[in-house]
Amino acid sequence: METHIHKINPWKIIEVGWNRNKIKGSESIFSIGNGAMGQRANFEEDFSGKSLQGSYIGGIYYPDKTKVGWWKNGYPEYFAKVINAPNWIGISILIDSIPLDLNKVNRVEKFERILDMKKGLYERAFSIKMKDDLEVEIKSKRFISMKKKSVGAISFKIRCNRDVKISLSPYIGFDVSNDDSNWDEKFWETKEKINTQNKSLVKSKVKKTGFKVITYMKANLYDNNVKLEKPFKAKSNSKKILLESEQILKRGHTLKVVKFGGYVTSECNEWNKIENKTTKILNYLENASFEDLYREHTLEWAKIWEQSDIKISGDNKSQQAIRFNIFQLNQTYRGDNPNLNFGPKGFTGEKYGGSTYWDTEAYCIPFCLGTKPPKVTLNLLNYRYLQLDKAIDNAKKLGFENGAALFPMVTMNGEECHNEWEITFEEIHRNNAIAFAIFNYTRYTGDLKYLVDKGLEVLVGISRFWAQRVSYSEKKNKYVILGVTGPNEYENNINNNWYTNYSTKWCLKFTLDSINICKKNNANSFKELSKKLKIKKYELDLWLKISKNIYLNKDEELGVFVQQDGFFDKDLKEVDKLDYSQRPLNQNWSWDRILRSPYIKQADVLQGIYFFEDKFDTKSIKKNYEFYEKFTVHESSLSPCIHSIIACKLGKIESAYDLFKRASRLDLDDYNKEVEEGLHITSMAGSWLTIVEGFAGMRVRNNSLHFTPRLPKKWKSLLFKINFRGNIYTIKFNQSVFQCSLNFNQDCFIYVNKKRLTFDNNRKTHTSI
């Protein structure tokens, strides 16, 4: 048996060899999607081995009732599940009356699958031996159209070494469930099945939420590329609708099924409108070809790669990794719908509910700012703005008043739907990541209109929350924040998490600064907003007082910020003293032991230093990095990238490179031994950040781009593009020369190693480094 591996290739993920024990992991790695729907790399044919069926639709969810042993006031009523949708890819096959099932065949002779990231194509090829020396070759191709967001396409070919009878049934399977259902409940109601030669669809409704979806399919059959007329008979049962066909496949001939399918839904959720739209799609597909759809699909991918590609010379392993991450990010979110967002698993698995976390604001928005038009980031900001009323409701449930807003840790529609108390009630720093995203957008684009029109409302709600959430300590003569969980989830219910306190200090000041900007630039608009929100001078004064007097614990002897009040009471045994067999801690230690340990799941103090870098001198950054790195186990996917960026700033390039490899190949190399649950989509943006903000050292300061380029020894050169203030900057540098060119003729300049560079008449500039 061949080893199950992913070959190193700059544009492809290649798996060679059959290993039934790693199927679920590969189903995650080879997932495809288009921002509206997605599909794990399940086999088209039936498979009786271990598998996680996964077909997903953006924005469609089920409120699975919370399951906890001890109910607490304020708990969310449900945990939102991105649900496994009806299966449109299925093709049941009998060869001489024997089911085609790779888990049961006599022998798998060859097996290969390829994910072509450049073209968004998933291919699979295998040959098997069945009884009586029957040899079967299968080749399949699949894509989900980046042009037509409701359409997926499959080409499935069969060849045999002798004449055989093939029974073949493309189907829609609607008897589906979620692997992670709290109560083993099925989330869909099947409302109607329509199955004829020309129209095959299933109308389904999500229980409780009422989302209406039509799953459709269209299939054609070819013998040696000759289309067979009316080869199918329509049938159905309690679990599927099928198009059945029986054919004699002659030796040397190829039987090919071309199947189109997907989902149609509508914001209006009216069956007649959804069915009319589905009928139009089916009519279009009547004369469409796999090749034509694929051609327009690849053109869309070409446009995406033109702006978002990163080229690394000298290291194909890193090249493959960063393209895989960029590919998955673009499959997950297209930016054309403010009701959608980056789910932490995207369309690759069920874990985390597929909902929205603070990951979007902290990690994904910088990726969008650099690689997309500003309207994409605006949609992500609007996602939160449109949910502000529910953030206020979330805060009310916890006892906050006067328009205080607590944005949810996990959400689909703005309601909190995470039910672990130490997260739901305590990981409240998420509010500040949303404020930081507004700041990040305005400094990057220079667009203050959003701040005046919408952003300030969000900031006021967040600031009102903090004004009520802090406590005044007479002993310290400072404002403190008690009972929180910081970014390091290996410490719960702690006091004065430095990151939470510092980001709150910053948030209150940024809100006040934004109010002043609005007063100056649009006094009438601010007057109306002030009246609407009932902003009073006394609360502005309070915000300023809290910001100036919030408690920030620092160990003067070590020169480091204290992660939380009790951190130095712990047994400060460094990570490299741990037996590696104990890792990951969350799979080997009790939670009690983890909480009492000094080990840090992800960047915490360093997350704050990353966000607010300009507020600290290099000496302070170095001391904090070198201290906290020694206790960080990086058991969150969001951690290595932040450490890598800071390591680059400090000139620790090879350490930064090691951390980048961990961040970028987390799923490809399955470092956390959990890839079968789905990919870590939002952390993939962190690997983009590591290259752009780490090795290229890009910063936005005073309305200009600044670079501090530093390459790992193994890399010969680095090339990428940045969308900044209406221009496209093409950045390329090696160990000695930095080059930049512009797409448009504007009066621009950039800074490299603090040196100002201007562009010549050919819109180019360069300098030695």
Side-chain angles (χ1 to χ4, degrees), residues 62-66 76-81 180 182 350-355 357 410 417-419:
Y62 178 84
D64 202 8
K65 183 174 172 55
T66 297
E77 294 290 329
Y78 66 89
F79 186 76
K81 300 291 175 68
D180 68 346
N182 283 342
E350 299 169 9
K351 192 177 179 183
Y352 304 133
S355 308
Y357 287 60
V410 180
C417 59
H418 193 287
N419 54 32

Side-chain angles (χ1 to χ4, degrees), residues 443 614 700-706 724-725 749 751:
R443 73 166 171 180
D614 289 346
V700 178
R701 296 192 181 106
N702 299 320
N703 301 309
S704 299
L705 289 179
H706 292 243
F724 180 72
R725 306 258 173 133
F749 58 86
Y751 292 85

Side-chain angles (χ1 to χ4, degrees), residues 150-151 172 194-202 214-220 241 243 259-262 264 274-288:
S150 297
V151 178
I172 295 173
I194 299 173
N195 196 23
T196 68
Q197 276 286 338
N198 297 316
K199 180 181 282 191
S200 298
L201 57 88
V202 175
I214 289 179
T215 309
Y216 72 89
M217 68 174 174
K218 170 71 180 170
N220 297 315
I241 61 170
L243 296 173
K259 183 180 182 183
F260 305 113
V264 182
I274 303 173
E275 188 168 354
N276 287 341
K277 187 176 178 181
T278 305
T279 300
K280 288 180 181 178
I281 292 172
L282 287 167
N283 289 341
Y284 168 79
L285 293 173
E286 189 69 35
N287 298 308

Side-chain angles (χ1 to χ4, degrees), residues 356-358 361 383-384 387 390-392 394 405-418 423-424 427 430-431 434:
T356 306
Y357 287 60
W358 69 290
E361 282 75 24
Y383 180 91
R384 298 293 192 179
Q387 296 176 356
K390 290 189 176 179
I392 292 171
N394 291 335
L406 176 60
F407 283 90
M409 185 65 187
V410 180
T411 195
M412 275 297 206
N413 65 353
E415 292 179 281
E416 177 64 75
C417 59
H418 193 287
I423 305 298
T424 307
E427 201 164 334
R430 64 213 187 222
N431 255 9
I434 292 165

Side-chain angles (χ1 to χ4, degrees), residues 545-637:
K545 184 179 178 182
I546 295 170
S547 179
K548 287 183 174 181
N549 293 281
I550 204 160
Y551 176 64
L552 296 168
N553 196 355
K554 182 176 182 180
D555 185 285
E556 297 295 343
E557 183 180 344
L558 292 172
V560 300
F561 306 122
V562 181
Q563 186 163 282
Q564 51 93 0
D565 280 356
F567 190 82
F568 281 92
D569 295 328
K570 298 185 176 190
D571 178 10
L572 298 178
K573 181 181 178 182
E574 297 172 6
V575 171
D576 61 8
K577 303 296 193 300
L578 279 176
D579 188 324
Y580 197 74
S581 65
Q582 300 291 297
R583 307 276 300 278
L585 300 183
N586 57 25
Q587 296 178 24
N588 290 284
W589 284 15
S590 70
W591 196 242
D592 169 72
R593 188 179 179 187
I594 289 174
L595 293 179
R596 288 185 287 107
S597 80
Y599 302 120
I600 302 169
K601 182 183 180 185
Q602 71 186 78
D604 195 305
V605 168
L606 297 184
Q607 183 76 41
I609 287 175
Y610 163 69
F611 273 160
F612 310 111
E613 175 187 285
D614 289 346
K615 306 294 184 182
F616 312 105
D617 59 39
T618 303
K619 182 180 178 182
S620 178
I621 294 172
K622 184 173 188 289
K623 284 185 175 182
N624 280 278
Y625 176 84
E626 291 179 347
F627 179 80
Y628 284 109
E629 171 64 19
K630 293 183 293 187
F631 298 103
T632 305
V633 289
H634 297 298
E635 288 176 9
S636 163
S637 63

Side-chain angles (χ1 to χ4, degrees), residues 520-547:
K520 180 180 178 181
N521 292 344
N522 201 326
N524 289 334
S525 292
F526 177 74
K527 188 176 180 180
E528 290 177 14
L529 182 64
S530 183
K531 185 177 179 181
K532 174 186 174 183
L533 301 180
K534 299 178 181 178
I535 299 173
K536 305 296 184 185
K537 184 179 184 302
Y538 74 84
E539 68 176 332
L540 302 184
D541 292 341
L542 178 60
W543 297 351
L544 182 61
K545 184 179 178 182
I546 295 170
S547 179

